[in-house]
C-alpha cells in the first residue's frame, strides 16, 4: 500500500506552465480523482507521479521515499490508460499475464493470479479471445485486469472510460467502484467527467490552468464550491451564476430580487442549484419568459435568461409550459451562494 506526497510539484515547458506548485498528500488506500477541463494539468500531474514526465520543480514521495529519479518500472505503480494498449497477437490470458512475465515473477504463480484478476472483472469466459474479438468494454476490463494482476502499491487511471458509450460507462464505472472497495489500493484517477468524480472519489481535486482550485469530498465540493469556476464545473446542470448587486441585504439584477442576504455589499455573483429552486404560480424572486423547456424523464428543466446568464430550474416531471410564457421561480435566500465578482472566490463560510 502507498501514501503519495506531492510537494510543490511544477511542470513547465519554456514559458508555458502545465502544473503550478501542486501540493497534496494522497492517503494510503484513498481513491483520489483529479478533475478539470482539457489542458488543466491533471494528466501531466499523474504522468509525473508515474515517472513518464520529469518534474521541473518539487518532490514526489511514495511511502516517504523520494522517487523523482526512479524509472517508472521501479515505482511499483500500475497504469490504466484511455487507450487500452493491448497486444493484438496475444489472447486475453496472455495480455493479463504479460506484466508478471516482464517483472520475472515466479511462473508457478501466474495462472492463479491471472484467474483471480480475470474473475474480479468478469472476464473468465473470454480468456481465449484476442483483443479484436472483444467489445470496447471488455477490452477496458482486460486493461484493468492487467493492472490488478501485478498487485501494485498504487493504481493510476487516465480517463479509462472516455472511449466507452454511455451505457458501458455506467457499468464499468460501477465495476471500478467495486474493485476499489475490494482491493483497497491507493488510486489516482484522472477525468474531465464530473459524474465520474462525484461517484468514484473519496476526495476530488478540481484543477484549472495547472492550479488546484479546491480539494474536498464530492459532497463538500458540490455543496460549498470554493469559487465560480468550481461552481460552474460541478453539477449537471452546473450551478446557476447571476451577476448583480447587493444593497441593504437585497440582491438585484434584471427580473431578479432576492432579499435577506448577508455578508456582502456591492457587485457580486449569486449562485444556486437548479434542484434547490422551485417553479411557483406567482410571487417568486425571479420572473421571466421561458427560454427553453427540456423533458429529462424524472423532471422537467426550465430555463430563463437573466441578464447575460441562462438560469435553469428543475420542475416536476409533469410540468409543461410553452417557450416565451412567463414563469415565476422561487429562490429562497438560504439556498444562495455568493461569490466575489472580480476574483470569483466564495464569500462567507
Amino acid at each position: 500500500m502507498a501514501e503519495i506526497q506531492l510537494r510543490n510539484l511544477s511542470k513547465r515547458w519554456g514559458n508555458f506552465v502545465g502544473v503550478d506548485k501542486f501540493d497534496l498528500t494522497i492517503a494510503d488506500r484513498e481513491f483520489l480523482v483529479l478533475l478539470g477541463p482539457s489542458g488543466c494539468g491533471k494528466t501531466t500531474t499523474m504522468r509525473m507521479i508515474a515517472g513518464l514526465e520529469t518534474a521541473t520543480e518539487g518532490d514526489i514521495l511514495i511511502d516517504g521515499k523520494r522517487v523523482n529519479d526512479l524509472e517508472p518500472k521501479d515505482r511499483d505503480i500500475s497504469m490504466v490508460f484511455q487507450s487500452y494498449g493491448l497486444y493484438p497477437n496475444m489472447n486475453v490470458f496472455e495480455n493479463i499475464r504479460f506484466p508478471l512475465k516482464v517483472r520475472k515473477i515466479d511462473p508457478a504463480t501466474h495462472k492463479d493470479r491471472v484467474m483471480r484478476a480475470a474473475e474480479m472483472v468478469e472476464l473468465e469466459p473470454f480468456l481465449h479471445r484476442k483483443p479484436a474479438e472483444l467489445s470496447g468494454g471488455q477490452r477496458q476490463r482486460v486493461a484493468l485486469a492487467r493492472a490488478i494482476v501485478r498487485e501494485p502499491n498504487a493504481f493510476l487511471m487516465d480517463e479509462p472510460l472516455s472511449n466507452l458509450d454511455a451505457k458501458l460507462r455506467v457499468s464499468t464505472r460501477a465495476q471500478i467502484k467495486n474493485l476499489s472497495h475490494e482491493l483497497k489500493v491507493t488510486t489516482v484517477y484522472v477525468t474531465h467527467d464530473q459524474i465520474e468524480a462525484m461517484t468514484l472519489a473519496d476526495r476530488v481535486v478540481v484543477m484549472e490552468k495547472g492550479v488546484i482550485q479546491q480539494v474536498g469530498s464530492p459532497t463538500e465540493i458540490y455543496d460549498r464550491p470554493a469559487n465560480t469556476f468550481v461552481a460552474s464545473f460541478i453539477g449537471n446542470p452546473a450551478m446557476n451564476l447571476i451577476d448583480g448587486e447587493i444593497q441593504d441585504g437585497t440582491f438585484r439584477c434584471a427580473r431578479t430580487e432576492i432579499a435577506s442576504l448577508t455578508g456582502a455589499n456591492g457587485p457580486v455573483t449569486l449562485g444556486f442549484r437548479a434542484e434547490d429552486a422551485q417553479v411557483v404560480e406567482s410571487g417568486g424572486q425571479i420572473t421571466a419568459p421561458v427560454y427553453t423547456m427540456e423533458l429529462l424523464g424524472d423532471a422537467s428543466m426550465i430555463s430563463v435568461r437573466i441578464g447575460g446568464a441562462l438560469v435553469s430550474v428543475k420542475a416536476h416531471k409533469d410540468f409543461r409550459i410553452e417557450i416565451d410564457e412567463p414563469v415565476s421561480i422561487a429562490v429562497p435566500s438560504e439556498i444562495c451562494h455568493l461569490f466575489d465578482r472580480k476574483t470569483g472566490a466564495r464569500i462567507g463560510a
Side-chain angles (χ1 to χ4, degrees), residues 147-302:
I148 292 165
V149 78
R150 272 189 50 200
E151 300 173 5
N153 271 334
F155 290 123
L156 304 181
M157 300 189 182
D158 187 10
E159 305 214 33
L161 307 184
S162 58
N163 287 341
L164 305 182
D165 63 38
K167 186 178 178 182
L168 271 176
R169 202 173 289 183
V170 171
S171 60
T172 310
R173 189 172 70 220
Q175 203 154 37
I176 289 173
K177 180 81 172 177
N178 186 264
L179 280 172
S180 171
H181 175 76
E182 278 191 41
L183 296 170
K184 294 181 172 59
V185 175
T186 309
T187 302
V188 180
Y189 186 104
V190 165
T191 185
H192 63 272
D193 186 325
Q194 51 98 15
I195 295 175
E196 286 178 30
M198 297 292 285
T199 54
L200 291 172
D202 295 321
R203 280 194 303 162
V204 179
V205 179
V206 184
M207 298 181 67
E208 185 195 25
K209 296 178 180 176
V211 176
I212 294 175
Q213 301 296 311
Q214 187 172 0
V215 182
S217 71
T219 301
E220 289 167 349
I221 286 176
Y222 189 84
D223 289 344
R224 305 194 67 76
N227 53 42
T228 50
F229 174 79
V230 177
S232 66
F233 198 78
I234 299 290
N236 186 22
M239 182 179 284
N240 296 307
L241 297 171
I242 308 170
D243 289 338
E245 293 212 8
I246 293 181
Q247 295 296 335
D248 301 322
T250 298
F251 174 87
R252 292 182 177 89
C253 75
R255 297 169 174 157
T256 302
E257 187 171 308
I258 303 171
S260 303
L261 294 168
T262 59
N265 261 309
V268 297
T269 299
L270 178 138
F272 64 90
R273 296 280 182 196
E275 65 270 23
D276 292 336
Q278 283 185 305
V279 174
V280 293
E281 289 188 11
S282 62
Q285 285 83 359
I286 296 176
T287 302
V290 171
Y291 183 75
T292 61
M293 191 192 83
E294 300 169 279
L295 304 179
L296 305 180
D298 62 339
S300 297
M301 187 73 74
I302 313 303

Side-chain angles (χ1 to χ4, degrees), residues 30 104 133 195 213 215 314 322:
E30 180 176 23
K104 296 182 170 58
E133 302 172 272
I195 295 175
Q213 301 296 311
V215 182
K314 283 187 178 178
E322 296 296 323

Side-chain angles (χ1 to χ4, degrees), residues 91-111:
N91 64 21
V92 169
F93 183 95
E94 290 299 330
N95 264 284
I96 297 172
R97 181 187 178 201
F98 189 74
L100 303 178
K101 294 171 69 175
V102 169
R103 296 177 74 83
K104 296 182 170 58
I105 289 168
D106 181 5
T109 68
H110 288 195
K111 184 175 181 181

Side-chain angles (χ1 to χ4, degrees), residues 2-225:
E3 176 188 80
I4 300 172
Q5 298 175 57
L6 309 177
R7 295 287 172 257
N8 205 36
L9 201 62
S10 296
K11 178 65 180 179
R12 293 188 295 271
W13 292 272
N15 293 326
F16 177 75
V17 179
V19 176
D20 191 26
K21 298 180 176 64
F22 193 106
D23 200 75
L24 186 73
T25 296
I26 304 164
D28 181 30
R29 303 185 180 189
E30 180 176 23
F31 197 116
L32 183 100
V33 172
L34 301 178
L35 175 68
S38 296
C40 73
K42 56 189 186 296
T43 294
T44 301
T45 301
M46 192 195 71
R47 287 174 63 83
M48 285 191 285
I49 296 171
L52 301 176
E53 293 281 359
T54 303
T56 307
E57 291 175 4
D59 295 313
I60 304 161
L61 292 89
I62 299 178
D63 279 341
K65 179 184 177 183
R66 188 178 184 275
V67 298
N68 290 49
D69 301 323
L70 289 184
E71 293 292 320
K73 66 183 175 62
D74 298 323
R75 299 191 186 195
D76 199 13
I77 284 171
S78 276
M79 293 194 68
V80 181
F81 295 98
Q82 179 179 348
S83 58
Y84 315 123
L86 305 181
Y87 298 100
N89 59 317
M90 296 181 186
N91 64 21
V92 169
F93 183 95
E94 290 299 330
N95 264 284
I96 297 172
R97 181 187 178 201
F98 189 74
L100 303 178
K101 294 171 69 175
V102 169
R103 296 177 74 83
K104 296 182 170 58
I105 289 168
D106 181 5
T109 68
H110 288 195
K111 184 175 181 181
D112 284 346
R113 289 175 67 163
V114 170
M115 294 307 293
R116 188 162 63 246
E119 183 182 359
M120 284 183 175
V121 294
E122 301 173 13
L123 279 174
E124 306 103 297
F126 308 104
L127 291 172
H128 64 286
R129 293 192 186 182
K130 299 282 182 69
E133 302 172 272
L134 303 175
S135 69
Q138 289 163 346
R139 290 180 201 177
Q140 190 56 274
R141 281 188 277 153
V142 177
L144 284 169
R146 190 174 55 189
I148 292 165
V149 78
R150 272 189 50 200
E151 300 173 5
N153 271 334
F155 290 123
L156 304 181
M157 300 189 182
D158 187 10
E159 305 214 33
L161 307 184
S162 58
N163 287 341
L164 305 182
D165 63 38
K167 186 178 178 182
L168 271 176
R169 202 173 289 183
V170 171
S171 60
T172 310
R173 189 172 70 220
Q175 203 154 37
I176 289 173
K177 180 81 172 177
N178 186 264
L179 280 172
S180 171
H181 175 76
E182 278 191 41
L183 296 170
K184 294 181 172 59
V185 175
T186 309
T187 302
V188 180
Y189 186 104
V190 165
T191 185
H192 63 272
D193 186 325
Q194 51 98 15
I195 295 175
E196 286 178 30
M198 297 292 285
T199 54
L200 291 172
D202 295 321
R203 280 194 303 162
V204 179
V205 179
V206 184
M207 298 181 67
E208 185 195 25
K209 296 178 180 176
V211 176
I212 294 175
Q213 301 296 311
Q214 187 172 0
V215 182
S217 71
T219 301
E220 289 167 349
I221 286 176
Y222 189 84
D223 289 344
R224 305 194 67 76

